């Protein structure tokens, strides 16, 4: 049951699409405070949710802010990352979910100020509160997800491996990446293009020197099974003669200063204007710009810098320059030197600059900071709505950096600028179920780490986790050590681990699609799958992938194994990636185990009575197109037999719900496999 209570006159974020909701007179569980709510926690209470954030799956013990921020240092001391995910579940003495539908900053003090108090603060009394009661944690998530609408579904090829780097500078560099992948038998479906494919960082342009015939090049890549995935940035370059800029100015489609003139910020190309993503007409216009690239054969995009990130606001920059002149004449002592350096450091993403510009929304003119968290959401919505108009029968890949609940209907996310740090493997694992709760199923980290120099063992271990996340993308920053898998010594292990992803694709894709279509979770904390198990509630370094698999990746350098907690007896599957994915299985009892896992191994666990449909690896797979989703072998721990609902479709069109996409697979106690559709062959 979902209850709603409206406070004041909320801005309609369009995050919620579910209709019938009884209004509450008084709210259960939470205590109303003048500026929000509080909740008295018992020691055993666990807090879930808040999407992409720092720290654990259990959010207790820290303070988080929903305030979309461009921050490339995802350290424990931070309170905000790129998105706003105002959904939480309290699990303990009471179990309930709540969602604060408000487009500005919301603070979730999860026992930071007072260890035993959850305190939610909203700066103004104009928002909707939803309280969700359910039979279980999964039921609460299910109901919440019905409230906010079906999660985005990418094309099937987008579950393949993607290689990215800021930046592949020209066609030849991309060709070289693909050739190296192919030569090393490492499967690949996409090469991601960062800002340098554009002509001087202008959205929807292609640099004519570096990519002289983009459509031809896209076709050449596609013939090799590769999709190009270009980046689109939020800011539109201010430049006379650039059509996107000129059309935007002419039609009043950019965010404005108080006096109505377009607001100027500095990002990659220097001066930019921000398209007014909250103005429906401007949003439709911005979305239609993607057509230029769709027409050249592009089938996927990533939206970046859409918090929006601001290197500087022009007004502040002018003031800083004037002040620097003053400092120039002074003897800089401890305080003036500090003031001088922080003045420059504070140019970027300055909170005060978000108060300088305005949107023309359906609900009137709004100062940006009041609706800040809707910007990235609506940039991605602009694209998603345009794709529905322009390509009604085709799925287009889209993932964004900034997000807010509601955006999950239009695209996925990648988790931004992490680092080549071991702790960020674990952080990525924590983010996965937390994002799933909020509707973001298609997600993944920059594998190998974006910032800092990586190491071979880190990349291998990161793939050990990453092959289970829906978005599988290796990405790194300019000037860091190169980290394409073929650059390392242990090529057989990299080839094997990537092949393993493709062998698992029938299961991964089927579980993803069922989660999207049934408003459930692709990845869950152990506590959601084993609610009666008190110890499982505390496990932060293992998660469930779909209904059948438990993963417990290695995330420490020089570790040659790790402790794994199994809530019940399970089948251990040990895959030797460097030896063509030779698999060994054994049954492990419930409890704690030390599990050796060598660098070239992946170990995962199958629940009793569960099936995992795998692709056959008769021929070497190069891309998703080589995977036969209709000829499967079953990995199972099913002494008494088992059954599985297998989802399979063409992976391209949007006819998701057809009954023939759902196949019933059974395995009897003697290992005989059957499917209820002649089109899908299975082997026990
Ligand atoms: C941002 C993105 C990163 C990208 C870079 C250059 O930092 O988060 O992924 O490589 O911009 O476009």
């Amino acid at each position: 049951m979902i209850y709603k209570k409206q406070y004041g006159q909320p801005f309609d974020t369009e995050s919620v699409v579910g209709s019938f909701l009884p209004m509450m007179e008084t709210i259960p569980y939470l205590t109303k405070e003048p500026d929000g709510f509080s909740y008295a926690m018992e020691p055993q209470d666990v807090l879930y949710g808040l999407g992409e954030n720092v720290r654990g799956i259990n959010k207790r013990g820290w303070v988080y802010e929903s305030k979309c921020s461009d921050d490339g240092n995802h350290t424990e001391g931070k309170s905000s990352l790129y998105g706003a995910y105002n959904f939480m579940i309290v699990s303990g003495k009471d179990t309930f979910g709540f969602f604060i539908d408000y487009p500005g900053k919301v603070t979730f003090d999860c026992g930071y100020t007072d260890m035993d108090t959850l305190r939610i603060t909203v700066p103004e009394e104009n928002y909707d509160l939803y309280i969700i009661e359910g039979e279980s944690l999964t039921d609460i998530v299910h109901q919440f997800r019905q409230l906010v609408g079906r999660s985005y579904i990418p094309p099937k090829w987008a579950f393949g491996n993607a290689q990215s780097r800021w930046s592949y500078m020209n066609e030849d560099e991309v060709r070289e990446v693909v050739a190296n992948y192919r030569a090393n038998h490492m499967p690949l479906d996409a090469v991601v293009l960062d800002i340098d494919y554009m002509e001087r960082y202008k959205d929807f342009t292609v640099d004519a020197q570096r990519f002289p015939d983009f459509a031809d090049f896209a076709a050449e890549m596609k013939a090799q099974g590769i999709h190009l995935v270009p980046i689109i940035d939020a800011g539109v370059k201010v430049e006379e003669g650039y059509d996107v800029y000129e059309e935007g100015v002419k039609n009043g489609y950019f965010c404005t200063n108080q006096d109505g003139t377009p607001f100027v910020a500095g990002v990659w190309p220097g001066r930019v204007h921000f398209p007014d993503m909250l103005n429906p007409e401007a949003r439709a216009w911005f979305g239609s710009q993607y057509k230029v690239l769709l027409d050249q054969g592009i089938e996927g995009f990533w939206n970046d810098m859409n918090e929006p990130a601001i290197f500087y606001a022009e007004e502040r920059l002018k003031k800083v320059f004037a002040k620097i002149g003053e400092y120039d004449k002074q003897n800089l002592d401890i305080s003036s030197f500090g003031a001088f350096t922080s003045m420059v450091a504070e140019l970027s993403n300055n909170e005060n600059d978000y108060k300088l510009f305005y949107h023309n929304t359906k609900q009137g003119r709004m100062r940006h900071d009041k609706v800040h968290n809707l910007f990235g959401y609506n940039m991605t919505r602009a694209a998603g709505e345009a794709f529905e108009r322009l390509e009604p029968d085709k799925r287009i890949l889209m993932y964004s950096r900034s997000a807010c609940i509601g955006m999950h209907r239009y695209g996925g996310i990648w988790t931004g600028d992490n680092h080549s740090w071991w702790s960020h493997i674990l952080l990525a694992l924590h983010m996965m179920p937390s994002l799933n709760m909020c509707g973001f199923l298609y997600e993944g980290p920059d594998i190998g780490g974006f910032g800092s120099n990586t190491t071979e063992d880190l990349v291998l271990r990161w793939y050990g986790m990453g092959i289970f996340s829906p978005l599988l993308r290796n990405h790194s920053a300019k000037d860091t050590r190169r980290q394409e898998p073929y650059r390392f010594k242990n090529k057989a292990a990299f080839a094997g681990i990537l092949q393993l992803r493709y062998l698992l694709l029938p299961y991964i894709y089927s579980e993803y699609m069922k989660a999207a279509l049934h408003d459930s979770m692709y990845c869950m904390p152990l506590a959601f799958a084993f609610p009666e198990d008190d110890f499982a509630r505390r496990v932060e370094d293992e998660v469930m992938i779909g209904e059948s698999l438990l993963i417990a990746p290695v995330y420490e350098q020089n570790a040659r194994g790790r402790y794994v907690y199994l809530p019940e007896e399970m089948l251990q599957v040990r895959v030797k990636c460097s030896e063509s994915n030779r698999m060994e299985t054994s049954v492990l009892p419930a409890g704690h185990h030390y599990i050796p896992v060598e660098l070239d191994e992946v170990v995962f666990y199958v629940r009793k009575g569960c099936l995992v449909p795998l692709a056959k690896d008769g021929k070497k797979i190069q891309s998703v197109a080589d995977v036969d989703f209709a000829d499967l072998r079953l990995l199972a721990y099913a002494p008494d037999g088992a059954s599985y609902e297998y989802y399979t479709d063409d992976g391209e069109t949007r006819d998701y719900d057809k009954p023939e996409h759902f196949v019933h697979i059974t395995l009897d106690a003697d290992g005989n496999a059957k499917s209820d559709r002649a089109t899908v062959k299975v082997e026990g």
Side-chain angles (χ1 to χ4, degrees), residues 85 151 403-405 407-408 411-413 435-436 438-443:
Y85 308 89
S151 297
C404 177
I405 290 174
M407 199 202 87
H408 68 288
I413 65 154
L435 278 162
N436 268 236
C438 300
F440 290 81
L441 301 182
Y442 191 76
E443 62 81 42

Side-chain angles (χ1 to χ4, degrees), residues 3 5 13 15-16 30 37 84-88 97-102 108 127-132 144 147-148 404-406:
Y3 304 92
K5 183 147 177 86
T13 62
S15 296
V16 165
L30 300 176
F37 305 94
Y85 308 89
N86 296 344
F87 174 62
M88 289 203 91
F98 66 92
F99 173 53
I100 313 270
D101 191 4
Y102 177 73
F108 298 85
Y127 55 86
D128 288 322
L129 166 73
Y130 295 86
I131 299 222
I132 302 123
F144 174 64
L147 181 71
V148 294
C404 177
I405 290 174

Side-chain angles (χ1 to χ4, degrees), residues 270-529:
R271 291 193 189 86
V272 300
H273 293 327
F274 292 127
D276 189 351
M277 304 297 181
L278 301 188
N279 168 349
E281 223 181 277
R283 188 163 66 231
W285 164 77
F286 189 79
S288 55
Q289 305 304 315
Y290 288 80
K291 185 167 188 303
V292 175
L293 293 162
L294 291 172
D295 287 348
Q296 297 180 70
I298 296 303
E299 296 169 316
F301 301 88
W302 49 314
N303 279 348
D304 191 22
M305 304 295 269
N306 49 358
E307 293 71 30
I310 297 181
F311 291 177
Y312 58 84
E314 197 168 52
E315 261 183 47
R316 181 177 303 278
L317 187 69
K318 282 189 194 139
K319 287 186 196 143
V320 167
F321 278 134
K323 195 85 186 145
I324 284 178
E326 283 174 33
Y327 282 125
D328 191 21
K329 301 181 192 93
Q330 285 177 30
N331 167 25
L332 294 185
D333 62 9
I334 178 167
S335 60
S336 51
F337 180 71
F340 163 69
T341 51
S342 54
M343 177 184 79
V344 176
E346 282 164 13
L347 266 174
S348 294
N349 302 317
N350 191 305
E351 230 172 290
N352 290 319
D353 293 341
Y354 292 107
K355 296 182 183 152
L356 296 178
F357 59 101
Y358 292 78
H359 295 270
N360 275 325
T361 78
K362 271 206 298 209
Q363 296 154 72
R365 199 158 191 244
M366 296 292 295
R367 202 173 75 188
H368 175 81
D369 61 314
K370 309 252 182 213
V371 288
H372 174 68
N373 292 336
L374 301 180
F375 191 90
Y377 158 16
N378 280 281
M379 178 185 180
T380 295
R381 180 176 173 190
E385 287 174 342
F387 299 155
E388 280 165 31
R389 273 195 317 273
L390 300 166
E391 297 282 3
D393 299 324
K394 188 170 162 185
R395 302 182 208 174
I396 303 291
L397 171 62
M398 163 54 68
Y399 51 91
S400 168
R401 191 171 74 176
S402 186
C404 177
I405 290 174
M407 199 202 87
H408 68 288
R409 301 192 295 268
Y410 304 99
I413 65 154
W414 91 99
T415 58
D417 299 348
N418 59 10
H419 279 257
S420 299
W421 297 339
W422 288 85
S423 59
H424 278 186
I425 300 183
L426 188 58
L427 184 61
L429 192 77
H430 292 163
M431 286 175 176
M432 203 167 15
S434 309
L435 278 162
N436 268 236
M437 292 171 206
C438 300
F440 290 81
L441 301 182
Y442 191 76
E443 62 81 42
D446 284 351
I447 288 173
F450 175 76
S452 312
N453 288 330
T454 203
T455 55
E456 175 164 358
D457 53 348
L458 177 66
V459 184
L460 258 177
R461 290 301 198 196
W462 210 317
Y463 275 120
M465 176 242 150
I467 57 164
F468 297 98
S469 67
L471 167 63
L472 172 65
R473 184 183 87 148
N474 175 322
H475 180 54
S476 53
K478 231 176 182 159
D479 303 325
T480 57
R481 182 180 184 182
R482 294 265 167 177
Q483 62 185 40
E484 294 86 357
Y486 52 78
R487 294 193 186 261
F488 299 112
K489 189 169 162 196
N490 215 337
K491 292 194 177 46
F494 282 104
I497 208 165
L498 290 171
Q499 287 281 338
L500 177 60
R501 158 67 164 215
Y502 285 71
L503 296 180
L504 284 163
L505 271 184
Y507 176 73
I508 288 176
Y509 183 71
S510 172
E511 288 301 309
Y512 183 93
M513 292 302 290
K514 288 189 293 177
L517 299 176
H518 301 157
D519 300 310
S520 60
M521 293 167 79
Y522 165 81
C523 171
M524 282 189 220
L526 259 46
F528 284 49

Side-chain angles (χ1 to χ4, degrees), residues 425-638:
I425 300 183
L426 188 58
L427 184 61
L429 192 77
H430 292 163
M431 286 175 176
M432 203 167 15
S434 309
L435 278 162
N436 268 236
M437 292 171 206
C438 300
F440 290 81
L441 301 182
Y442 191 76
E443 62 81 42
D446 284 351
I447 288 173
F450 175 76
S452 312
N453 288 330
T454 203
T455 55
E456 175 164 358
D457 53 348
L458 177 66
V459 184
L460 258 177
R461 290 301 198 196
W462 210 317
Y463 275 120
M465 176 242 150
I467 57 164
F468 297 98
S469 67
L471 167 63
L472 172 65
R473 184 183 87 148
N474 175 322
H475 180 54
S476 53
K478 231 176 182 159
D479 303 325
T480 57
R481 182 180 184 182
R482 294 265 167 177
Q483 62 185 40
E484 294 86 357
Y486 52 78
R487 294 193 186 261
F488 299 112
K489 189 169 162 196
N490 215 337
K491 292 194 177 46
F494 282 104
I497 208 165
L498 290 171
Q499 287 281 338
L500 177 60
R501 158 67 164 215
Y502 285 71
L503 296 180
L504 284 163
L505 271 184
Y507 176 73
I508 288 176
Y509 183 71
S510 172
E511 288 301 309
Y512 183 93
M513 292 302 290
K514 288 189 293 177
L517 299 176
H518 301 157
D519 300 310
S520 60
M521 293 167 79
Y522 165 81
C523 171
M524 282 189 220
L526 259 46
F528 284 49
F530 305 96
E532 306 304 324
D533 185 324
D534 249 4
F535 192 84
R537 281 162 66 78
R538 304 289 156 199
V539 174
E540 289 272 341
D541 58 359
E542 304 173 20
V543 292
M544 297 300 297
I545 298 292
E547 65 185 44
S548 311
L549 290 189
L550 180 151
I551 62 164
V554 175
Y555 53 88
E556 281 175 342
Q557 189 159 31
N558 300 319
R560 298 187 62 189
R562 55 161 287 175
Y563 284 93
V564 174
Y565 175 69
L566 299 182
E568 60 183 25
E569 184 182 88
M570 287 191 193
L571 184 75
Q572 174 187 242
V573 182
R574 174 173 298 277
V575 186
K576 192 80 176 159
C577 300
S578 61
E579 293 171 22
S580 306
N581 292 328
R582 182 168 54 76
M583 279 189 195
E584 272 169 23
T585 57
S586 57
V587 175
L588 288 184
H592 298 269
H593 304 271
Y594 182 79
I595 308 288
V597 188
E598 290 300 327
L599 254 187
D600 62 346
E601 288 180 320
V602 171
V603 179
F604 56 86
Y605 307 85
V606 182
R607 281 189 82 166
K608 192 171 179 181
C610 286
L611 296 181
V612 181
L614 298 180
K616 292 186 177 166
D617 59 354
K619 63 177 170 171
K620 280 278 173 240
I621 295 165
Q622 290 200 331
S623 63
V624 172
D626 296 332
V627 177
D628 190 345
F629 287 81
D631 188 10
L632 308 170
R633 66 195 169 109
L634 301 179
L635 180 65
Y637 175 38

